[in-house]
Amino acid sequence: MVPTAPYGSWPSPIDAALAAAHDGYPDHVGVVGDDLWWTEARPAEGGRRVLVRRRPEGEAQQVLPEPWNVRSRVMEYGGRPWDGTDRAARGPLVVFVHFDDQRLYAYEPNATAAPRPLTPLSPVGGGLRWVDPRIDLDRGEVWCVLEEFTGEGPTDVRRVIAAVPLDGSAAEHRGAVRELSDGRHRFVTGPRLSPDGRRAAWIGWDHPRMPWDGTELILADVGADGTLRRARTFTGGPEESIAQADWAADGQLLFASDRSGWWNLYRADPETEEAVALCPREEEFAGPLWQVGRRWFQPLDSGLVAVVHGRGATTLGILDPESGELVDAAGPWTQWNPTLAAHGSRVVGVAASPRTAYELVELDTATGRARVIGCGHDDAVDPAYYPEPLIRTYTGPGGRDIHAHVYPPHSPDRIAPADELPPYVIWAHGGPTSNVSLVLDLETAYFTSRGIGVVKVDYGGSTGYGRAYRDRLREQWGVVDVEDCAAVARALADEGTADPRRLAIRGGSAGGWTTAASLAATDVYACGTVIYPVLDLAAWLDVTHDFESRYLESLVGPYAELPGRYRERSPAQHADRVTAPFLLLQGLDDAICPPAQCEHFLEKMAGRGIPHAYLTFEGEGHGFRRADTMIRALEAEFSLYAQVFAIDRTDIPVLELTK
């Protein structure tokens, strides 16, 4: 008979160290010759991202040892940091961005030499940065996006498409870099060359738009000398988001646009500019362009197109552009990340499910067979401890739908007393233009296996449900997100799923904002965990990075016209309304939400007698990547809940709460 124990007190084999060790995942997949390459996070190595190579039917091997860290900082969120090509007898050539100095390097794995720099050394965090490289052996260049800081401020920056010589001549001389685009757009993606090499296509946009608001698909002719000529807007605009563009094997232009209210896939003749929807559905075939170089679709040599699509959850499908027929890959995976690569009839992507972490999956379009070929999920504990998600839709203010994933407490070792309701933590995702993924997350299991429920809310503004759902947050940040999370929390309590006296809320980045705003604006929660947050809207405008420096114009409204709205919604301006205990977690190297936001908020809280803790982490930016940081943060968060919810635990360090 299974023993009885109060919620939150259950023993669990999923400790914080195990959750941190499984935080890394494969990304930025590519094919070089017959080999599959990708990047992979290593939390135990200070969050370093390594480059990994897998030969056909062989074992995966790390390509570059420490201290090489393959990651770009362009727009702070980075993007695709590497590219590779096969040179037959000479073997592969790889170019990559090294995080520590942001230089572009060339590396020949078959040679004995170390990576050699292709771009000049510049101040760390400023100067020159590179992303989305594409090797052009015929011209002896790497075409990519160059981000160049022109002053001391975070918005003193320009971005252009550039060509970097492969011979290393630009390693000491900035002048050897050819600038290809004219700088008409403040933000650009890397160019995609047509099969005949005569045209290049890329995406551009400008402040105050974010890429999910409106972008332009730019088309240019490629001259014999490698210059881009007659650049013109092919499609798109302020109210249409083009998320990705590429070329089919027959020279037709493919792009993902939300002109119908959903990101669907279109095909256009570059000569006539007539576009046709290939598979019109009320589903998303793309997503928010937070990183340069993301791929939601991949053209195949056969003329078919591999697509990541879905509504909320996503799957991998193969689309026939001629018939519009879409056949999905069989398998358990419920989330496919926007990174696809193709080799002949095979497509490789990164996918996960509620029972498996992210792994590399290959689909053979000739046979329809899908199989795991790398980073295969390995159960470190008995899967009986994993939570079982419930996909729910709740009703919010005005009758609007709110999508959420509910993870009830679950353990094979314990059950709770029949007269006890469980505590629940509401998770507000970041972005806020993002969503939650239906995947196995050991951080979630860390709580549920101990008897604390988790519900992840896709509040209004989340992606995956069409543009209208996304636009609910326009000028309503701090209102709709707060209301939707509270509505889900109250619904859980009203239906008898959760203890109304033991509800918490947590989130990072934009989710940290929603958490803090919820503590200041509602009395729903007994406590909250606020992670690298935005806390003061007006102050954040002066210190954040260029990419998001005008984001608040769509989320809140123009500051010059609505300064009162900025003050009214900022938790830092209403610290007197916060009456619940809280935990603040902050990386000291965060350029997106700097520590000053937390420090200013704590000054306002001083002397109010509200129990709280503030933990900072050296060497961490926006998003914790080091195992020791993740362990400390997770244990501190659980200790907060244990103290507030009166849970007896002696197996985790006690978080010291001050007043």
Side-chain angles (χ1 to χ4, degrees):
M1 186 172 181
V2 180
T4 299
Y7 285 113
S9 69
W10 303 346
S12 172
I14 303 174
D15 60 14
L18 183 62
H22 283 70
D23 189 71
Y25 58 90
D27 201 357
H28 302 299
V29 180
V31 174
V32 182
D34 293 326
D35 301 344
L36 182 67
W37 296 61
W38 66 89
T39 65
E40 189 175 308
R42 299 286 172 86
E45 299 178 23
R48 184 171 76 97
R49 292 203 73 90
V50 302
L51 194 59
V52 179
R53 176 185 187 182
R54 177 188 179 275
R55 291 180 170 86
E57 306 304 331
E59 294 292 325
Q61 295 181 330
Q62 176 181 300
V63 177
L64 296 165
E66 292 188 86
W68 297 107
N69 188 354
V70 184
R71 181 174 150 223
S72 170
R73 281 192 60 182
V74 166
M75 302 188 332
E76 294 304 336
Y77 292 107
R80 188 172 180 85
W82 76 276
D83 188 37
T85 188
D86 185 53
R87 300 170 302 166
R90 295 182 61 189
L93 170 68
V94 175
V95 296
F96 67 93
V97 178
H98 178 44
F99 181 75
D100 292 357
D101 59 18
Q102 287 298 290
R103 299 176 85 179
L104 198 63
Y105 287 80
Y107 180 57
E108 300 178 64
N110 290 0
T112 58
R116 55 184 175 84
L118 299 179
T119 56
L121 186 65
S122 61
V124 175
L128 306 174
R129 300 175 180 176
W130 316 84
V131 74
D132 204 11
R134 298 284 164 169
I135 298 173
D136 185 339
L137 287 179
D138 292 337
R139 294 189 177 91
E141 294 177 325
V142 182
W143 287 28
C144 55
V145 175
L146 160 63
E147 180 178 75
E148 183 171 24
F149 286 80
T150 58
E152 297 298 322
T155 61
D156 296 329
V157 60
R158 60 190 292 268
R159 297 171 192 85
V160 294
I161 295 171
V164 177
L166 276 168
D167 62 10
S169 57
E172 302 294 336
H173 303 288
R174 163 69 175 81
V177 175
R178 288 197 308 127
E179 294 192 8
L180 301 176
S181 60
D182 56 12
R184 70 171 67 184
H185 290 100
R186 192 172 185 91
F187 303 95
V188 293
T189 64
R192 299 293 178 264
L193 289 176
S194 60
D196 60 10
R198 294 173 48 215
R199 294 187 177 95
W202 67 92
I203 297 168
W205 70 97
D206 293 295
H207 284 321
R209 288 175 283 153
M210 298 300 286
W212 42 86
D213 296 326
T215 59
E216 297 176 17
L217 175 53
I218 308 301
L219 198 62
D221 300 330
V222 181
D225 58 354
T227 59
L228 298 181
R229 303 173 180 175
R230 209 167 62 87
R232 64 271 189 195
T233 298
F234 184 80
T235 191
E239 303 298 326
E240 179 183 358
S241 171
I242 311 292
Q244 183 190 337
D246 212 329
W247 299 89
D250 62 0
Q252 295 284 291
L253 186 58
L254 303 175
F255 61 92
S257 165
D258 71 348
R259 60 180 60 175
S260 69
W262 298 82
W263 272 305
N264 278 191
L265 191 60
Y266 294 81
R267 179 176 62 186
D269 186 324
E271 297 289 351
T272 66
E273 301 186 7
E274 293 182 5
V276 177
L278 297 182
C279 186
R281 293 187 181 187
E282 290 190 347
E283 291 184 14
E284 305 283 37
F285 285 73
L289 192 62
W290 280 102
Q291 293 184 316
V292 177
R294 283 308 188 187
R295 283 185 170 273
W296 290 271
F297 68 86
Q298 173 67 53
L300 308 180
D301 293 341
S302 63
L304 301 175
V305 184
V307 293
V308 172
H309 71 102
R311 190 167 182 164
T314 57
T315 190
L316 175 67
I318 301 300
L319 173 65
D320 183 344
E322 301 305 323
S323 66
E325 181 183 10
L326 178 60
V327 179
D328 291 335
W333 306 285
T334 53
Q335 179 70 32
W336 288 78
N337 282 351
T339 175
L340 296 175
H343 181 53
S345 64
R346 300 174 186 268
V347 180
V348 180
V350 175
S353 79
R355 308 296 290 178
T356 57
Y358 286 104
E359 47 196 0
L360 287 160
V361 180
E362 179 189 75
L363 171 64
D364 188 338
T365 62
T367 64
R369 181 191 176 204
R371 61 175 183 141
V372 176
I373 62 169
C375 300
H377 175 76
D378 183 18
D379 290 313
V381 299
D382 188 337
Y385 291 94
Y386 298 161
E388 292 290 343
L390 305 173
I391 311 305
R392 300 285 300 274
T393 300
Y394 294 93
T395 301
R400 64 179 182 251
D401 290 342
I402 308 168
H403 304 291
H405 300 170
V406 180
Y407 295 84
H410 172 74
S411 172
D413 297 332
R414 297 291 188 278
I415 58 173
D419 59 350
E420 184 184 3
L421 290 175
Y424 261 82
V425 184
I426 310 298
W427 286 27
H429 65 70
T433 310
S434 183
N435 61 12
V436 295
S437 300
L438 188 62
V439 301
L440 174 64
D441 174 18
L442 290 190
E443 192 171 277
T444 303
Y446 175 84
F447 292 102
T448 58
S449 63
R450 285 167 168 75
I452 295 180
V454 170
V455 56
K456 302 181 180 182
V457 182
D458 271 337
Y459 49 80
S462 300
T463 51
Y465 308 97
R467 180 147 189 158
Y469 196 91
R470 199 164 79 237
D471 282 348
R472 287 182 187 176
L473 209 59
R474 291 191 70 86
E475 299 197 10
Q476 296 298 309
W477 197 37
V479 179
V480 165
D481 50 324
V482 171
E483 291 177 346
D484 285 2
C485 287
V488 171
R490 291 190 183 102
L492 288 170
D494 291 345
E495 69 188 22
T497 298
D499 185 343
R501 299 165 299 174
R502 295 193 293 173
L503 294 171
I505 185 169
R506 65 99 78 173
S509 189
W513 154 271
T514 300
T515 298
S518 297
L519 295 178
T522 77
D523 59 359
V524 174
Y525 309 103
C527 61
T529 300
V530 186
I531 310 169
Y532 37 83
V534 177
L535 294 170
D536 190 314
L537 295 175
W540 187 71
L541 289 174
D542 296 328
V543 297
T544 194
H545 62 138
D546 184 55
F547 176 57
E548 293 182 274
S549 62
R550 303 283 295 278
Y551 194 6
L552 297 186
E553 292 196 25
S554 60
L555 290 176
V556 182
Y559 177 67
E561 301 173 17
L562 301 163
R565 182 183 290 176
Y566 278 62
R567 289 192 299 272
E568 178 57 33
R569 293 192 190 168
S570 295
Q573 299 298 326
H574 302 289
D576 59 306
R577 300 178 186 173
V578 177
T579 59
F582 63 88
L583 167 64
L584 271 176
L585 301 170
Q586 178 68 49
L588 293 179
D589 294 344
D590 194 336
I592 296 170
C593 293
Q597 290 268 304
C598 290
E599 294 162 4
H600 178 57
F601 180 71
L602 291 174
E603 289 173 3
K604 297 289 188 71
M605 292 297 302
R608 295 201 51 242
I610 306 301
H612 65 273
Y614 179 43
L615 302 184
T616 60
F617 302 96
E618 293 277 359
E620 291 285 14
H622 199 68
F624 299 153
R625 292 177 170 83
R626 301 183 178 189
D628 55 346
T629 299
M630 291 185 277
I631 292 169
R632 178 72 177 110
L634 196 56
E635 291 180 339
E637 182 179 353
F638 190 86
S639 180
L640 171 70
Y641 304 148
Q643 293 179 57
V644 174
F645 298 155
I647 297 170
D648 184 18
R649 305 267 339 186
T650 60
D651 58 341
I652 56 172
V654 176
L655 175 69
E656 295 294 334
L657 296 174
T658 65
K659 296 184 179 181

